[in-house]
Amino acid sequence: MTDRWWAGLRRRVEAAGAGPGGGEVFGAFGHRWVVEEPLTLGELAELEAQTGVRLPEEYRDFLLHVGAGGADPAYGLFPVRRVRGGWRWEGDGADLADLSRLAEPFPDRGPDPKLLDDLLAQCPEEECFDDIEDFDDAIEAWDERGDAVLFAPERTVGAIAICHLGCAQREWLILSGSHRGTVWSDCRADDVDLAPLLNDDGTPVRFDRWYTDWLDKAERTALSAP
């Protein structure tokens, strides 16, 4: 896609934010339709040198021609900023990404499904306990075992969290490995494993499609007459 196309995307976001229904778009009260200034080529080079990975092309173009973060699906695209001499993404859950491991390939496979099934089968049942405190302790221990599997640090190497949907649900952009450039859903807080977002034809959703699909829908609400 051309530089002009990306620049036009920023203008579309700004127009939607100024529309009569802009405040009705989900998440608008979080991002307030603000789009941060784009990165310069020098800043992008500095970011990629620090992380040791070349960002996916669509996301690079977005950072250079649209903005470093701001208005986007849900509560806003986590902005990437220079903080105390280093670069980092900021937002609710952005710190889940290990910036020292972004060049490592994102895993092709998640946990063994049998392991997850066994964990669910081991969920304590309240009627099996005489003391409610013992039940609470058992549930806490069971949650910790599950989190150790689902939230193991190696599960999200090579990826960054890019937005949150509320209730600890997030979406990730894959930077390295065979899934590079695709966007994944993260509902692990609800015991649902990481999964790629899919187009209607079953192909993985890439960053540009992820953003423009949101904007197309947001415009229908934001630009409609009250």
Side-chain angles (χ1 to χ4, degrees):
M1 295 180 181
T2 66
D3 296 354
R4 181 177 297 179
W5 183 89
W6 287 106
L9 199 66
R10 182 183 177 100
R11 290 192 293 272
R12 286 177 60 190
V13 173
E14 292 169 344
E24 302 302 316
V25 174
F26 174 75
F29 76 88
H31 57 67
R32 299 182 182 277
W33 292 102
V34 173
V35 181
E36 301 203 3
E37 289 300 308
L39 299 185
T40 66
L41 279 170
E43 288 171 332
L44 179 60
E46 187 180 302
L47 168 63
E48 292 182 328
Q50 176 192 306
T51 58
V53 64
R54 180 181 174 86
L55 301 174
E57 296 307 316
E58 301 98 329
Y59 184 51
R60 294 182 92 251
D61 288 340
F62 186 94
L63 294 177
L64 288 171
H65 303 294
V66 182
D72 94 319
Y75 294 104
L77 179 66
F78 291 164
V80 58
R81 296 171 176 152
R82 186 192 288 116
V83 180
R84 292 190 292 276
W87 289 90
R88 72 184 187 199
W89 284 265
E90 298 190 320
D92 182 0
D95 57 350
L96 292 172
D98 186 342
L99 302 189
S100 69
R101 303 181 68 180
L102 296 185
E104 296 182 35
F106 181 79
D108 283 328
R109 298 183 60 186
D112 183 343
K114 184 178 184 304
L115 180 59
L116 294 178
D117 289 343
D118 288 345
L119 279 168
L120 289 174
Q122 295 165 15
C123 180
E125 298 181 4
E126 186 173 355
E127 57 267 25
C128 296
F129 294 82
D130 295 327
D131 190 318
I132 189 62
E133 292 185 358
D134 290 341
F135 171 68
D136 289 343
D137 290 343
I139 281 289
E140 183 176 351
W142 177 78
D143 280 339
E144 289 177 354
R145 291 197 300 274
D147 286 352
V149 174
L150 286 176
F151 289 90
E154 58 269 19
R155 299 293 320 289
T156 51
V157 298
I160 55 170
I162 53 173
C163 78
H164 76 93
L165 313 177
C167 300
Q169 297 183 5
R170 300 178 178 87
E171 292 179 331
W172 292 69
L173 174 63
I174 313 307
L175 306 186
S176 303
S178 61
H179 302 288
R180 183 177 185 270
T182 62
V183 179
W184 285 51
S185 169
D186 181 0
C187 294
R188 290 176 293 174
D190 297 325
D191 298 324
V192 177
D193 198 16
L194 295 159
L197 299 181
L198 300 176
N199 295 304
D200 291 340
D201 63 0
T203 57
V205 172
R206 299 186 65 81
F207 179 83
D208 54 348
R209 181 66 179 270
W210 174 78
Y211 195 91
T212 54
D213 277 358
W214 164 76
L215 184 54
D216 289 343
K217 294 173 184 175
E219 285 175 325
R220 289 196 286 271
T221 298
L223 302 178
S224 62

